[in-house]
Amino acid sequence: IPVDDFDLVIFGGTGDLARRKILPGLYRRFCAGQMPPTARIIGAARSEHDTEEFRRIVRAAILEFSSKHSCDEALIGDFLKRLDYVQVDARGEDGWDALKGMMRDDVIKAYYFSVAPSLFGDIAERLMSHGIADDKARIVVEKPFGRDLKTAKALNRDLAKHFDETQIYRIDHYLGKETVQNLMAVRFGNILFEPLWNSQYVDHIQITVAETVGVGGRGEYYDRSGAMRDMVQNHLMQLLCLIAMEPPSRFEPDSVRDEKLKVIRALEPIDHHHIVRGQYDATDDEPSYREDAGDPRSRTESFIALRCMISNWRWAGTPFFLRTGKKLKARNSEIAVVFKDAPHSIFGEEAGRHANLLSIRLQPNEGMTLKVTIKEPGPGGMRLIDVPLDMSFAEALGEDAEEITDAYERLIMDVIRGNQTLFMRGDEVEAAWAWTDPLIESWEARGDVPKPYEAYSSGPEEAAIMLHREGRRWREIK
Ligand code: NAD
């Protein structure tokens, strides 16, 4: 369904994120016929380019970052005609009046802040002082949204000076993933799961976001944040909220976000026995985390595993294990709901027991698997095995997996439609930092040193031990 006509300004339109994700994503929406033929995209950045050069940059980005079969020269040509460029300095006054002159009056206006967060306040202020944005305009802001509660509050305050909360779209691309939205469809569109979705039937839940890449060239930058700030406070926390929240009364922005906020506020503090932090070791030909970070004494974690508890009626007693890290064995993101054993085996213990498990895969190959117990086929008597009921979205939808995995394009279309459901509200972000800050402060105060782990492994041994202590085990990263 095509969206209404719009002018979208991308601040930082020549940057890495714009070239890798935002612009190729918009091109795919254009190809899908979702972008009205008159819609316009205006790149705005400090670099000295004109529109022709910007179009060349975008063309190269589409060829590099869109899957091959969507690269049709004629379509790319038509898409590029929708593009303009304006040179602006977020911290100066140059270029803003030119930008104003480019904007049309009677269409939806959206401003994507794909720049460093230190520029958010400057851009918001100039959009207003130059009379470019009005009270219907939408702004999209990228992560990181602060590095602690204090900085997040300051960012929220800077934006709130000029824009109402209903105009602010804080993006977390994990929420735009097909599987994440499907998680809500599975939970709230079926009668099967929700009655079992509580501590009476769920033994525990695991959320894993494993990456194979190290911090590489971004080492020094990454060293100022670490896995907790970079991944847990935002992406893993969002996944945790969606899996744990109460059913919202409607699939509407504030209904959903009110429920997510309640989950964050119900998170218990974690003591240090239930947090494992790690740093990857060097291999024969690749540097260690500390070498990548350029600091031989760095105490920043490239891996973290946590055992979280949610103090509410539904989840009391069910642990949520969160784990994320760099240079792990495989690129794999998964939410696994591990159900309890059936209360009694009528087949006897020798038949074997298998707990049901629902696995929701975010990458690679988005999809879901439900493990159910059946009889082992054949004449060998009543032995039980578990088999997967498997659904891969790529296969089910008959599309190229690459095409459905990209979340940015879906979220940008939600911005144009004015739907904030899959965007973080200011109070959610602050609540997440309010939970995260004391954990970070406590390990900093203790002088905690991350445990070394072998590169391309499953992380430090201590993370496995944390679960073994209570008779559980991590899902294999594969
Ligand atoms: P980048 O350094 O590649 O690009 C920055 C862009 O901002 C460039 O277009 C540059 O011209 C513009 N810019 C810089 N200073 C400016 C100024 N004073 N006035 C106007 N424009 C200015 O950065 P990036 O990797 O594209 O990241 C942009 C934002 O997105 C950052 O907040 C980053 O944390 C966030 N982010 C990036 C990624 C990613 O994969 N690159 C992922 C998630 C979030």
Side-chain angles (χ1 to χ4, degrees):
I1 311 169
V3 295
D4 289 340
D5 199 5
F6 63 85
D7 282 351
L8 169 67
V9 179
I10 307 174
F11 292 103
T14 55
D16 178 67
L17 182 68
R19 285 185 297 107
R20 275 192 314 114
K21 294 288 180 187
I22 305 172
L23 288 155
L26 284 162
Y27 165 67
R28 282 195 290 271
R29 291 300 93 210
F30 178 80
C31 297
Q34 209 176 14
M35 231 176 100
T38 45
R40 284 169 54 225
I41 298 161
I42 301 166
R46 204 171 35 173
S47 340
E48 207 178 306
H49 293 305
D50 59 16
T51 293
E52 276 318 305
E53 270 174 278
F54 181 57
R55 289 180 181 173
R56 270 198 294 279
I57 292 171
V58 177
R59 183 176 178 280
I62 292 171
L63 292 176
E64 188 173 353
F65 299 113
S66 263
S67 73
K68 297 266 178 319
H69 80 250
S70 63
C71 291
D72 176 300
E73 278 299 335
L75 276 172
I76 295 180
D78 287 345
F79 175 72
L80 295 181
K81 288 189 195 133
R82 314 310 322 143
L83 266 52
D84 284 304
Y85 183 80
V86 58
Q87 188 184 349
V88 290
D89 182 357
R91 294 230 158 100
E93 302 310 320
D94 291 349
W96 293 94
D97 289 335
L99 174 60
K100 183 176 182 191
M102 292 165 113
M103 304 298 290
R104 293 175 294 167
D105 281 335
D106 46 351
V107 296
I108 294 166
K109 293 187 228 1
Y111 302 91
Y112 199 128
F113 294 11
S114 181
V115 293
S118 55
L119 299 176
F120 290 176
D122 295 305
I123 295 178
E125 189 187 320
R126 283 171 178 76
L127 282 175
M128 282 303 177
S129 63
H130 287 263
I132 301 170
D134 55 26
D135 57 5
K136 289 196 204 59
R138 290 146 205 183
I139 60 168
V140 185
V141 293
E142 266 296 338
K143 82 162 198 181
F145 203 83
R147 57 170 281 110
D148 52 23
L149 180 58
K150 190 165 157 246
T151 47
K153 276 187 168 169
L155 277 179
N156 274 335
R157 239 186 348 257
D158 283 350
L159 297 180
K161 274 187 216 153
H162 309 287
F163 294 94
D164 186 70
E165 183 62 35
T166 55
Q167 298 179 275
I168 305 172
Y169 291 71
R170 293 177 196 77
I171 209 161
D172 184 327
H173 67 277
Y174 272 63
L175 295 183
K177 286 183 180 285
E178 188 72 27
T179 335
V180 171
Q181 293 173 63
N182 239 310
L183 168 62
M184 286 188 274
V186 164
R187 273 194 70 187
F188 304 127
N190 295 289
I191 190 92
L192 282 182
F193 296 105
E194 202 46 32
L196 304 181
W197 213 261
N198 56 56
S199 57
Q200 198 180 341
Y201 297 103
V202 176
D203 180 73
H204 71 279
I205 289 176
Q206 298 186 14
I207 302 178
T208 298
V209 176
E211 297 177 278
T212 47
V213 291
V215 297
R218 307 170 50 233
E220 279 178 40
Y221 166 82
Y222 183 92
D223 202 50
R224 289 195 287 275
S225 52
M228 184 71 164
R229 288 192 169 97
D230 192 49
M231 298 297 291
V232 176
Q233 184 274 343
N234 41 45
H235 307 317
L236 276 82
M237 187 76 83
Q238 289 295 318
L239 300 179
L240 172 79
C241 286
L242 294 180
I243 202 111
M245 71 182 180
E246 294 301 314
S249 57
R250 291 180 171 279
F251 189 57
E252 281 177 355
D254 282 334
S255 300
V256 172
R257 298 187 300 177
D258 286 347
E259 296 307 334
K260 283 163 59 194
L261 180 62
K262 286 185 208 162
V263 174
I264 304 176
R265 291 196 171 147
L267 278 171
E268 288 178 12
I270 311 181
D271 74 53
H272 69 272
H273 300 295
H274 294 124
I275 303 177
V276 175
R277 300 190 310 128
Q279 284 176 339
Y280 56 79
D281 277 336
T283 65
D284 288 344
D285 31 43
E286 291 176 24
S288 67
Y289 173 76
R290 287 179 170 193
E291 286 164 321
D292 274 341
D295 176 358
R297 286 183 307 181
S298 164
R299 289 184 175 175
T300 305
E301 73 285 355
S302 62
F303 172 97
I304 190 164
L306 310 135
R307 179 186 192 273
C308 307
M309 299 299 289
I310 300 173
S311 298
N312 65 16
W313 196 278
R314 183 187 285 263
W315 293 117
T318 297
F320 286 69
F321 297 104
L322 273 46
R323 155 179 78 155
T324 181
K326 306 268 181 203
K327 276 215 187 169
L328 295 177
K329 216 167 154 186
R331 178 166 172 263
N332 171 319
S333 299
E334 181 202 59
I335 304 170
V337 181
V338 183
F339 291 91
K340 290 188 174 170
D341 282 341
H344 165 68
S345 171
I346 65 166
F347 309 107
E349 290 306 324
E350 63 282 4
R353 266 182 189 243
H354 300 276
N356 293 125
L357 181 140
L358 178 67
S359 150
I360 300 143
R361 282 188 311 280
L362 278 75
Q363 67 189 21
N365 188 14
E366 283 193 66
M368 292 196 193
T369 301
L370 179 64
K371 276 198 175 174
V372 292
T373 299
I374 60 161
K375 176 188 168 298
E376 188 175 44
M382 198 54 158
R383 288 199 57 77
L384 304 181
I385 54 168
D386 58 354
V387 291
L389 294 180
D390 224 334
M391 196 199 36
S392 140
F393 295 144
E395 277 171 28
L397 303 177
E399 282 183 48
D400 176 7
E402 279 304 309
E403 295 292 309
I404 56 165
T405 46
D406 206 304
Y408 275 92
E409 55 199 278
R410 190 175 296 122
L411 291 174
I412 297 172
M413 290 298 112
D414 277 358
V415 174
I416 306 298
R417 284 195 205 93
N419 185 347
Q420 288 185 302
T421 310
L422 298 174
F423 295 84
M424 294 178 293
R425 208 167 53 191
D427 52 1
E428 258 186 89
V429 179
E430 290 185 14
W433 281 120
W435 177 76
T436 314
D437 275 1
L439 305 182
I440 298 177
E441 280 160 17
S442 116
W443 73 58
E444 283 178 352
R446 270 200 331 275
D448 183 64
V449 180
K451 312 278 184 289
Y453 63 91
E454 191 187 330
Y456 308 111
S457 70
S458 301
E461 190 64 6
E462 288 78 356
I465 294 170
M466 182 167 81
L467 266 73
H468 284 179
R469 279 202 302 257
E470 44 189 76
R472 297 180 170 109
R473 58 169 53 217
W474 288 107
R475 301 256 301 150
E476 197 184 337
I477 296 176
K478 58 181 180 191

